[in-house]
Amino acid sequence: MIQIPTLTSARLTLRPPTQADFPALADFYASDRSKFVGGPMTAEQTWRALACEIGHWPLRGYGRWSIDISDTSEFIGIIGLWNPHGWPEPELGWDLMQNATGKGYATEAALAARDYAYTTLGWTTLTSLVKPENTKSAAVATRMGACHDGDFDHERHGLLNIYRHPAPVSVPENLQ
Amino acid sequence: MTIDLANTPILETDRLILRAPKGADWPLWSNFAQSQRAQYIGGPFTPRTAWRAFGHVIGHWAMRGYGLFVFTLKDSDTPLGTVGPWHPADWPETELGWTVWSTAHEGKSLVYEAALATRDFAYSTLGWTTAVSYIDAPNTRSIALAERLGATLDATATVPAVDNAKEVLVYRHPAPEIDSDGGIEAYA
C-alpha cells in the first residue's frame, strides 16, 4: 500500500510501520515510559499517531520505520527521520519498547537510519531532540557522536535539547 | 524523493476522479484545515495539527487498506475535497465522511456524486453491510447531503467519544441491496 524502503543492520530490520504494530505501541504509549516521547496517550491517540507515522512518508519523502529483531521478527520500537510541521529541522528520533532497552538496539538502528539520511538522501546535517530528563536517549545521542547544540521549546512537548550529529564527512569510521 | 500510497483504487464518476490522497495535496488541505470551513471536523486547525491530521488521513489507508478518497475534476488533478470510507480506532462503526475544501465547488452536487461512488465502493468492494455519517448538529449542508443520499437519523447509534462535548447526529445510510443471486448490488 505504500512503498517505504526497508533497511537492515546486524541484528535489526527497519521496515514500514503497519497496523500490526498498534497493540504493542498502544501498550507502550499507555505507560509512563512514553513520557519522554509525547505520551502517555490513549489507544485512540496512538492509532492516529501511528497512521501519521505512515503519512509522514508521502508528506516529506522520508519518515520513520518500525524496528524488528531480525531473528525473531519481534517488534521493538520506531526510529527514523521525523520532521512534522512545527519541528525546527529534521531529526533522527527513536521510541523503544520497554523490553528492548539496554542492548544497544537504539544505537544500532539509529546508525542505520543516519546512514540512510546521509548516503541515500544526501543530507548534510541531522539533529535529535531529547527531553532534558531523558538521560538514556541523551546517552544514545552522545554515543553516536552527537553534541548538545541549543534548545527548542515545542508548543506541546515543552523544552527539548537539540543534539547535533556529526556531519557525514566527520562520522568516525566505527560509527558509519 | 516522492513516496506515495501505491496500489490504491481509482474511482470514476460522470464528472470526477476519486484517488488516494498524496503529499502534493497538502497545501490545499492546509488552507482548508486552517479555515472556518473545517469547523465541523474539529477545526480550524493550527498548522501543526493540520499537518498531523493530514498525515493521519494518508496513513489511514495503510492502516485499514482503505480511506478517504480525494476527488478532482476529470481535467485537473487539483484536490477539491475528501470523501469516502473512514474508520479510525475510536469510531464506533464505519463511516462515510466528506469535506469540501473551498466554496468554489459547492452547489454542484459534486460531493453527492462522489459520496455515491464511495458508498458503492464500501458496499461492493469492501463488503460493508452498513455505514453511518457523523455530522455536527449545526452543519445543515451536510445534513441535507446525507438526507439526499437516503440516510436517516439513527438516534440509537453511538457517537465517537471525541465528540461527546458537542451535539453530533448519526445518519445511517441505506443498507446495500441484496440481489437475487445473494450478491450485493450497487446502491446508486
Side-chain angles (χ1 to χ4, degrees), chain A residues 40-131:
Chain A
M41 293 197 286
T42 65
E44 292 74 20
Q45 290 168 325
T46 301
W47 199 91
R48 288 176 185 251
L50 177 55
C52 191
E53 293 279 355
I54 300 168
H56 189 290
W57 284 89
L59 282 166
R60 291 290 192 219
Y62 54 85
R64 302 211 297 174
W65 294 267
S66 288
I67 312 164
D68 287 342
I69 297 174
S70 299
D71 281 349
T72 60
S73 297
E74 183 192 354
F75 168 64
I76 58 166
I78 288 199
I79 197 164
L81 307 171
W82 186 240
N83 187 22
H85 206 288
W87 238 235
E89 58 182 295
E91 75 144 335
L92 172 53
W94 50 80
D95 309 349
L96 240 64
M97 308 291 105
Q98 285 92 329
N99 53 353
T101 55
K103 295 168 186 159
Y105 289 143
T107 306
E108 181 177 326
L111 286 172
R114 186 171 74 185
D115 180 61
Y116 180 85
Y118 285 167
T119 306
T120 303
L121 299 179
W123 291 5
T124 54
T125 190
L126 192 55
T127 59
S128 290
L129 301 183
V130 180
K131 281 207 172 181

Side-chain angles (χ1 to χ4, degrees), chain A residues 33 35-37 94-95 129-140 161 163:
Chain A
R33 204 184 125 63
K35 66 184 175 189
F36 298 134
V37 288
W94 50 80
D95 309 349
L129 301 183
V130 180
K131 281 207 172 181
E133 321 84 84
N134 192 356
T135 52
K136 281 187 177 171
S137 259
V140 171
N161 296 139
Y163 281 79

Side-chain angles (χ1 to χ4, degrees), chain B residues 74-137:
Chain B
K74 281 192 174 169
D75 60 358
S76 162
D77 195 42
T78 303
L80 307 183
T82 59
V83 62
W86 184 239
H87 192 200
D90 48 337
W91 256 218
E93 55 184 309
T94 47
E95 182 186 16
L96 288 175
W98 49 75
T99 61
V100 187
W101 297 354
S102 81
T103 49
H105 302 287
E106 287 185 331
K108 299 172 185 169
S109 295
L110 294 176
V111 197
Y112 173 74
E113 189 172 315
L116 277 180
T118 57
R119 186 168 69 191
D120 178 37
F121 172 80
Y123 287 163
S124 302
T125 304
L126 302 180
W128 288 11
T129 54
T130 188
V132 296
S133 291
Y134 299 113
I135 304 177
D136 286 17

